[in-house]
Amino acid sequence: MRLTSLCLLGLLLLDCRPDDPPHTPVYEVPAEIEPFVQAFRDEAAKRGKTLKIDDLIVEFGETSGQDICGVSQVESNKTPRITLVREWPCWTRAYKETQEGLVFHHLAHSVLGRGHKKTLLPNGDFASLMNGEDLGVYSPCIYPIGNTPCNLTGRRTYYLDELFNENTPVPAWGK
Ligand SMILES: [Zn+2]
């Protein structure tokens, strides 16, 4: 009796499956973007998150709408697609760390399912790399430029912590 019920349940579940064919993962990432995808996976792993990124298309092209330098399209049963704008001031001539910020922002849309977050830290800086306006928020303190000492130690670390965990506490420099 119990077995019969389980079988019926199984059949019902089968019947309820959508008619869409199973999605076949596609991975097409330009060679110059690939190191950033690997870095994103590494930063996630450092924070205890194992990410399998095997279904992703990244391309250079045109965008319109809120994200000036890139757009992420995420639809069920489709390969997430990130389109980045190559023209200045987006990809071309951007600092490496700003490029990383742009790719990480869009990987968070496409791989982590995150949306935009406009809130500010108490000091007025953006609280998240997921703000839609400034993708260079952690750039200045990856590599101190010239003689200007970088006194915002841990800036990138905070933004990456927050990227993978929205509940990351406000850092000392953001108070
Ligand atoms: Zn965005």
Side-chain angles (χ1 to χ4, degrees), residues 67 105-106 109 116 130-132:
D67 284 322
H105 174 96
H106 285 287
H109 280 319
H116 283 157
M130 294 316 292
N131 81 78

Side-chain angles (χ1 to χ4, degrees), residues 27 29-42 91 96 100 103-104 107:
Y27 189 81
V29 176
E32 67 186 300
I33 306 288
E34 181 61 32
F36 296 110
V37 178
Q38 288 178 11
F40 186 81
R41 202 186 289 116
D42 291 346
W91 191 262
K96 264 270 179 293
E100 183 188 91
V103 175
F104 280 16
L107 286 173

